[in-house]
Amino acid sequence: MIDLHVHSTMSDGTYTPSQLIKLAKDKGLKAIALTDHDTIYGNKEAREAAKKYDMEFIHGMELSLNYNNHQIHVVALGFDEESKAFKDFYHELRQKKQSSIVSVIDYLQKQGLDISVEKVEPFIASGALDKYAILRYLVSDKSKAGDIQYLWDRYIDPAFNNLNLKITENPKAEDAIQAMKKAGAVTSLAHFHKKIGFKNYTREEQEANIKYLHEIGLDGMEAYYPNYSEDDEKFAHYLIEKYDLVPTGGTDFHGANRPSVDLGSGTNNNLDVPYEFYQNICKLIKR
């Protein structure tokens, strides 16, 4: 059992990177990847913990990308963090993510929320003020009770939409995939079936868009995901075989922020990502 899609306190999860590695060890996982949203801040801690607990580990990041005027998520694994291609891309990414946050906090305050930069600052976990610090603050405010998706949909998403930041803060998918390819990453489309993906597309439209992304450099897609329907999973496997995509998979674990999903095993033990996926990705990274 492995997990190649996991989030820590460095984005919107509730376990620190080292706690995640220990949890993976306790649950009997053979390998894990840390894929926090748009940040690599937790990778060093996770890598050191993986050595301590003798856990096989790939560093990663889940990218929020602009594609045809909506968002998709792409998981990047095993990139060279010291390469110029990665450093240039990551610097620009973080600048975009951080530059708009004060205006978002100001907007939420004007909507009646008890929020300020000073109140959010204690929830910074990735070295800089970003939207995940706002989310952690909202989660901590019990008067705004609701799960992480509710808080995102109720407060953060509308703020970014109304300030016209939702698309402009994200890199273009074409640019990001090429940059990560130059940095040696294996890239995989995450949860194609969700709103941040191709939820409202026909199967023919989904196939055409995933084929295009593959043509511009996307390596693979998630073959397994906790809330795939039987038909979603069957369709993902069909595309993987037809276009020779790299299969990946994971739980999209967020800890207490998504309590129905367990690390490694998904929802009610409905996930068992093959170890061979990890081995194959390691071979591609080395190549």
Side-chain angles (χ1 to χ4, degrees):
M1 184 167 59
I2 67 170
D3 203 328
L4 301 176
H5 189 164
V6 174
H7 298 281
S8 79
T9 51
M10 297 302 121
S11 59
D12 53 352
T14 57
Y15 284 78
T16 67
S18 56
Q19 287 171 339
L20 276 175
I21 301 300
K22 184 179 186 302
L23 181 63
K25 186 69 174 180
D26 292 343
K27 287 182 173 292
L29 273 67
K30 295 189 70 174
I32 189 172
L34 180 61
T35 57
D36 276 315
H37 293 285
D38 302 307
T39 182
I40 61 171
Y41 201 74
N43 284 337
K44 181 180 179 182
E45 179 184 333
R47 190 179 298 114
E48 291 173 352
K51 291 178 182 177
K52 175 182 176 180
Y53 292 106
D54 194 26
M55 171 67 59
E56 295 184 71
F57 173 75
I58 304 178
H59 63 269
M61 175 170 57
E62 185 174 13
L63 297 166
S64 300
L65 304 179
N66 177 13
Y67 176 74
N68 283 350
N69 292 316
H70 76 285
Q71 281 194 70
I72 62 172
H73 282 178
V74 168
V75 171
L77 299 171
F79 42 85
D80 180 1
E81 295 180 7
E82 298 304 315
S83 68
K84 184 178 186 303
F86 179 77
K87 286 183 174 180
D88 289 348
F89 170 76
Y90 188 66
H91 175 74
E92 184 176 352
L93 172 72
R94 293 308 306 173
Q95 287 290 106
K96 285 184 176 180
K97 296 295 177 183
Q98 293 158 209
S99 63
S100 59
I101 298 306
V102 172
S103 61
V104 172
I105 291 173
D106 182 59
Y107 174 88
L108 292 172
Q109 188 179 64
K110 288 176 180 176
Q111 300 307 303
L113 285 187
D114 181 18
I115 190 171
S116 65
V117 171
E118 291 73 24
K119 289 179 183 290
V120 172
E121 280 178 342
F123 296 90
I124 291 174
S126 57
L129 188 65
D130 62 14
K131 61 187 175 186
Y132 297 107
I134 297 176
L135 183 64
R136 284 188 287 273
Y137 168 74
L138 293 178
V139 168
S140 75
D141 183 355
K142 301 308 179 185
S143 68
K144 304 294 182 292
D147 64 16
I148 191 170
Q149 193 63 55
Y150 168 80
L151 294 170
W152 194 271
D153 294 342
R154 175 67 179 82
Y155 299 107
I156 295 179
D157 234 9
F160 274 83
N161 281 328
N162 291 327
L163 292 170
N164 295 315
L165 297 171
K166 190 172 177 62
I167 293 300
T168 57
E169 70 147 7
N170 294 327
K172 287 180 61 178
E174 291 85 349
D175 296 339
I177 289 170
Q178 282 300 310
M180 296 309 292
K181 192 176 186 71
K182 289 178 182 177
V186 173
T187 55
S188 171
L189 180 65
H191 43 67
F192 78 94
H193 68 314
K194 294 177 72 172
K195 180 180 177 182
I196 300 178
F198 301 114
K199 178 179 181 179
N200 296 318
Y201 289 58
T202 65
R203 288 303 193 202
E204 290 76 15
E205 290 169 338
Q206 289 176 342
E207 179 171 351
N209 281 280
I210 293 169
K211 178 177 181 287
Y212 169 74
L213 289 170
H214 181 48
E215 288 170 349
I216 64 169
L218 182 79
D219 296 301
M221 66 182 294
E222 290 183 325
Y224 300 105
Y225 189 84
N227 69 353
Y228 273 174
S229 67
E230 183 177 343
D231 189 61
D232 289 333
E233 187 171 308
K234 182 178 178 181
F235 185 67
H237 283 259
Y238 157 76
L239 293 180
I240 287 166
E241 182 175 353
K242 181 174 181 178
Y243 296 106
D244 194 27
L245 300 172
V246 177
T248 68
T251 61
D252 203 357
F253 181 72
H254 285 72
N257 285 340
R258 196 169 289 171
S260 63
V261 178
D262 288 327
L263 185 69
S265 58
T267 302
N268 298 322
N269 295 309
N270 71 338
L271 214 67
D272 187 2
V273 181
Y275 178 65
E276 289 76 16
F277 285 11
Y278 169 80
Q279 292 177 307
N280 186 38
I281 290 167
C282 287
K283 289 176 183 176
L284 291 172
I285 292 168
K286 290 178 181 177
R287 185 181 68 186

